[in-house]
Amino acid sequence: MPRHIVRIRFFAVMIMAFMWASVDLSAQTLPPAEEILSERILGNSDAKVTMIEYASMTCPHCANFHTKTFPAIKKEYIVTGKIKFIYRDFPLDQFALAAAMMARCSAKERYFGVVDVIFRTQREWVRNPNPRKALEQIGKIVGVSENTYEACVTDKVVHDGIMKMRNDAVEKYKVRTTPTFVVNEKKINGGLPLEELRKVLDAAVAKAS
């Protein structure tokens, strides 16, 4: 794809994110660590089926899932109350870690929107000569001030909390790659086509009914 088209697409997504965010970009302070590191959940909290995703913000397979497959999963299973979806960070490198920290330091009600923007613009910011600076610019558009961004990505408690999340996934579920899904404690390696993932979720919903 020609570079100018990629740039147009990038800025179009960012403009949409700006319109969606509509926030004051003045100096902010970090939320409490407990809030930053708390579970990020979509769907019916009482659903009998829980789907956990372990993902890395720099993982192209994760970006593919979130931009192409997840909208259908959200519409068919999460919005309808069939499943509870939990997103957990499994950073594979320092830039994925920085992106995960920034997303968690955004307003909690906007978290999944920020994650969506990060994945949709992944190719652009990952390939930037300075990915962390590019993430900072994304943060400004989605409501994370420069002060908040710097405070967040240098916060040891946030860093250690996300790395603990990653280490717990390795210990409990033997996660090694991303995305990895856990559906009612059954591990499923990522990369499944939508139809195959539907079969897994339908079976879990039927069994739990």
Side-chain angles (χ1 to χ4, degrees):
M1 183 181 294
R3 184 173 296 180
H4 71 282
I5 294 178
V6 172
R7 288 176 177 172
I8 290 171
R9 185 182 67 180
F10 173 71
F11 286 113
V13 172
M14 299 307 287
I15 289 171
M16 290 174 63
F18 176 76
M19 293 173 65
W20 160 77
S22 244
V23 295
D24 180 7
L25 300 181
S26 59
Q28 304 165 352
T29 56
L30 292 184
E34 295 79 6
E35 180 179 329
I36 293 174
L37 298 170
S38 63
E39 291 277 44
R40 295 300 191 258
I41 301 171
L42 283 177
N44 177 13
S45 59
D46 296 323
K48 295 180 180 179
V49 176
T50 298
M51 177 182 183
I52 304 171
E53 178 192 8
Y54 288 97
S56 173
M57 300 291 196
T58 53
C59 162
H61 299 294
C62 299
N64 184 69
F65 170 77
H66 275 270
T67 57
K68 296 181 180 179
T69 304
F70 185 68
I73 297 299
K74 182 178 179 180
K75 179 181 179 181
E76 297 172 24
Y77 297 93
I78 299 174
V79 173
T80 56
K82 293 180 180 179
I83 71 171
K84 175 173 67 175
F85 177 83
I86 301 175
Y87 180 94
R88 291 178 183 167
D89 294 297
F90 194 91
L92 296 177
D93 54 62
Q94 61 175 323
F95 301 123
L97 177 58
M101 294 170 79
M102 182 188 77
R104 284 184 169 272
C105 288
S106 65
K108 193 171 183 179
E109 65 273 14
R110 295 189 177 91
Y111 176 77
F112 282 99
V114 175
V115 169
D116 183 64
V117 170
I118 290 172
F119 277 127
R120 288 186 183 279
T121 60
Q122 183 193 81
R123 288 170 61 90
E124 285 74 27
W125 66 263
V126 166
R127 295 181 178 185
N128 190 284
N130 188 342
R132 284 186 61 153
K133 190 67 177 178
L135 281 172
E136 181 182 315
Q137 296 305 312
I138 293 173
K140 289 178 181 178
I141 292 174
V142 297
V144 179
S145 72
E146 182 177 347
N147 288 344
T148 297
Y149 175 82
E150 287 300 325
C152 182
V153 298
T154 57
D155 190 282
K156 188 177 186 303
V157 174
V158 177
H159 172 281
D160 292 350
I162 291 177
M163 292 309 296
K164 182 179 185 302
M165 191 182 303
R166 186 188 193 283
N167 294 336
D168 287 348
V170 172
E171 182 176 339
K172 185 173 182 179
Y173 298 116
K174 309 302 184 219
V175 176
R176 293 289 185 272
T177 61
T178 57
T180 292
F181 304 100
V182 179
V183 178
N184 277 6
E185 297 302 302
K186 179 182 178 181
K187 188 175 80 167
I188 302 163
N189 291 326
L192 283 182
L194 176 58
E195 287 304 319
E196 292 300 314
L197 197 50
R198 281 189 178 120
K199 290 179 183 178
V200 171
L201 294 174
D202 287 343
V205 171
K207 183 177 180 180
S209 296

